[in-house]
Amino acid sequence: MSTQSLASALSDGWVVAQRNVIKIKRVPDILVFVLISPIMFVLLFAYVFGGAIDVPGNVDYKEFLVPGIFAQTVVFGATFTGYGLADDMQKGIIDRFRSLPMSRSAVLVGRTTSDVVYNVISLVIMALTGLLVGWRIREGIADALLGFVLLLVFAYAISWIMAYVGLIVPSVEVVNNASFVVIMPLTFVSNAFVPTESFSGPLQTFVEWNPVSTVTQACRELFGNTAAGVPVPDSWAMQNPVVYSLLWAAAIVAVFAPLSVRQYRLSTSK
């Protein structure tokens, strides 16, 4: 892609992103229901299951839990990309975009960018909820901001996977089902809700190398929600969670951004 084409894609993509963000005001119930789910998870695990889950190092379970809920929330929030693209395809919005003098990549760039805004709103609401139930940031502001940036970067990468899914499936309902099948195991077979030590054998190995686990671990460390002296798993991923998570994010974008652009061109050329 030439410099001029890239500039055009970014400029047109920003216009599309603004259109998608404005839609939040017009259809606020979508965001409301998405936010209710993570809040319910916090309350459910913190007050119903929290007493039955032991965290090494006498870490308060609520502080252990909230970074995991953050990771789960932004990953599920990335499904907005697939949902939005499938919805626009069904309603003929994409056909209208085709008639405009705009970059072919702009729709995807705008869609994935606007979903960062969705995730920022989600994180703000979740942080406030976490503070209300007892979660605290124990490290400096700079480390905490880095933790939130890492969450957004990882969510942005996942949104490109969802963009590809939204372009290859026939309906919004299928996007939801396909996303659930992939995302649910990644978030629940991780250290988001229970310590890694709770798993055994091959399952523990999967948890240690699961990028959702490393994003969660990185956030716990950056927020200061870990205890000194607690041994870190032997896996390189868990010992270097920030680097490992960023490598995953870069690899996902490198693979799925070109695939999504190619699929978009195929889908809109019919």
Side-chain angles (χ1 to χ4, degrees), residues 18-72:
Q18 289 177 304
R19 171 253 179 187
N20 295 331
V21 171
I22 291 173
K23 193 175 179 181
I24 299 176
K25 295 190 297 183
R26 295 178 179 173
V27 194
D29 51 316
I30 295 176
L31 187 60
V32 169
F33 283 108
V34 170
L35 291 175
I36 287 175
S37 177
I39 291 174
M40 289 179 62
F41 269 111
V42 170
L43 299 178
L44 180 66
F45 276 86
Y47 293 109
V48 178
F49 301 127
I53 300 174
D54 294 324
V55 181
N58 294 320
V59 176
D60 183 83
Y61 181 69
K62 293 170 187 174
E63 294 199 1
F64 176 87
L65 171 68
V66 170
I69 297 292
F70 283 157
Q72 182 200 48

Side-chain angles (χ1 to χ4, degrees), residues 45 49-69 187-201 203-210 212-214 216-217 220 225-227 230-235 238:
F45 276 86
F49 301 127
I53 300 174
D54 294 324
V55 181
N58 294 320
V59 176
D60 183 83
Y61 181 69
K62 293 170 187 174
E63 294 199 1
F64 176 87
L65 171 68
V66 170
I69 297 292
T187 54
F188 277 92
V189 187
S190 72
N191 65 354
F193 302 103
V194 296
T196 307
E197 295 77 12
S198 300
F199 302 90
S200 61
L203 198 59
Q204 186 179 74
T205 301
F206 175 83
V207 170
E208 290 176 354
W209 291 89
N210 181 351
V212 175
S213 293
T214 57
T216 301
Q217 179 66 21
R220 285 180 183 138
N225 300 144
T226 57
V230 176
V232 178
D234 293 334
S235 67
M238 293 296 286

Side-chain angles (χ1 to χ4, degrees), residues 127-222:
L128 293 175
T129 305
L131 291 172
L132 288 174
V133 301
W135 170 72
R136 296 292 183 268
I137 294 175
R138 308 279 180 193
E139 294 292 337
I141 296 299
D143 286 342
L145 290 176
L146 179 58
F148 286 119
V149 169
L150 178 64
L151 287 165
L152 293 174
V153 169
F154 188 72
Y156 180 76
I158 299 295
S159 69
W160 280 104
I161 299 178
M162 294 299 107
Y164 184 67
V165 172
L167 291 169
I168 63 175
V169 300
S171 68
V172 173
E173 293 75 19
V174 178
V175 171
N176 291 333
N177 293 334
S179 302
F180 184 85
V181 169
V182 175
I183 291 176
M184 186 60 73
L186 282 177
T187 54
F188 277 92
V189 187
S190 72
N191 65 354
F193 302 103
V194 296
T196 307
E197 295 77 12
S198 300
F199 302 90
S200 61
L203 198 59
Q204 186 179 74
T205 301
F206 175 83
V207 170
E208 290 176 354
W209 291 89
N210 181 351
V212 175
S213 293
T214 57
V215 169
T216 301
Q217 179 66 21
C219 289
R220 285 180 183 138
E221 293 178 2
L222 292 169

